[in-house]
Amino acid sequence: MTSHLLGLRPASDGDRLNDDMTDHPVCPVTGEVQEAVYDLAAVARAVDRDALRHLPRGMWRWAALLPVRDEANIVTMSEGDTPLEHVRRLGEVLGLSRFHIKDESRNPTGSFKDRGASVTASKMKEVSAKGMILASSGNAASSFSAYAARAGVPFTGFLRRETSSVHRLQTMIYGARVFVVEGTMVEGARLAHALESKFGLFHFSQPYNLYRVVG
């Protein structure tokens, strides 16, 4: 399925449409967070809503409304389409007979963050990014290191000393460069931002990484 992406739009200027083929998806004029803009009329013509259920399972059956132009750049490990589990006993305690929990642990690295990692890695592959960098307490680094490896995009992670050894190993096993930071996420993010500027890497923290938000 082909994306119907038109470009990126900053929050304060609904008439501006910026190029999406960049590894720094903030507005080049205002520095603002941006959102992806799609040709919804084209989507309506091209996509049969009832046929979607027959497409292969996973997040990318919604590719018409995801910001990757060339299907060859999609980096996926069948993330998404996680099940809703009917949790009866907890529902009884809460007085909710139809209480469900979405089980995102079924994603490839065990976290909902695989969704954002898939879209981000796909777009970074599409724009030939030099590399990605992130400060993380654990799950995000594990997820993004896996998808960066699949995309062939170098990844550097700053983890807190309190991060579990399991997450450290999970991040490193995919071949990522991993550093343990003394301090909070603030110190880690500061280091990531400094290296982003020096080496031309994509610091994909939220909310500036619209690809992670979209995923």
Side-chain angles (χ1 to χ4, degrees):
M1 186 181 295
T2 302
S3 174
H4 291 276
L5 179 69
L6 294 175
L8 307 180
R9 180 171 58 201
S12 66
D13 188 351
D15 295 325
R16 180 182 297 279
L17 194 63
N18 292 319
D19 186 9
D20 61 279
M21 295 299 288
T22 173
D23 58 359
H24 289 278
V26 297
C27 179
V29 177
T30 66
E32 290 179 280
V33 175
Q34 298 193 103
E35 63 179 356
V37 180
Y38 299 89
D39 184 344
L40 297 182
V43 172
R45 291 191 298 269
V47 177
D48 181 346
R49 184 179 61 182
D50 294 328
L52 286 172
R53 71 184 66 183
H54 302 297
L55 294 177
R57 301 287 293 179
M59 184 178 72
W60 287 95
R61 61 175 165 168
W62 307 99
L65 290 169
L66 290 172
V68 177
R69 293 182 177 275
D70 186 345
E71 292 182 9
N73 293 316
I74 293 175
V75 179
T76 180
M77 292 186 281
S78 301
E79 59 290 320
D81 273 330
T82 53
L84 281 170
E85 302 289 355
H86 190 186
V87 186
R88 291 179 174 81
R89 292 181 61 190
L90 181 56
E92 290 173 1
V93 172
L94 298 173
L96 300 171
S97 61
R98 298 172 62 189
F99 184 71
H100 290 70
I101 291 178
K102 192 162 180 63
D103 185 4
E104 290 287 83
S105 70
R106 306 286 186 93
N107 282 308
T109 75
S111 167
F112 78 94
K113 295 183 181 180
D114 288 351
R115 297 170 180 268
S118 176
V119 177
T120 301
S122 298
K123 195 63 180 184
M124 292 304 101
K125 179 181 178 183
E126 185 160 74
V127 301
S128 300
K130 292 181 179 179
M132 302 190 294
I133 191 167
L134 180 71
S136 167
S137 60
N139 281 328
S142 298
S143 177
F144 278 87
S145 62
Y147 282 86
R150 177 63 68 93
V153 177
F155 171 74
T156 301
F158 289 106
L159 298 178
R160 296 167 56 191
R161 182 161 293 281
E162 294 82 5
T163 298
S164 73
S165 58
V166 173
H167 279 122
R168 289 191 201 178
L169 178 60
Q170 189 181 12
T171 302
M172 295 170 66
I173 204 168
Y174 301 115
R177 297 181 67 192
V178 177
F179 299 90
V180 177
V181 177
E182 295 285 356
T184 66
M185 286 286 290
V186 174
E187 282 74 27
R190 187 180 297 121
L191 286 169
H193 179 68
L195 291 181
E196 167 198 19
S197 303
K198 184 173 182 178
F199 296 107
L201 307 176
F202 177 40
H203 182 198
F204 48 93
S205 60
Q206 292 176 301
Y208 297 99
N209 178 9
L210 70 95
Y211 305 121
R212 186 173 173 184
V213 173
V214 166

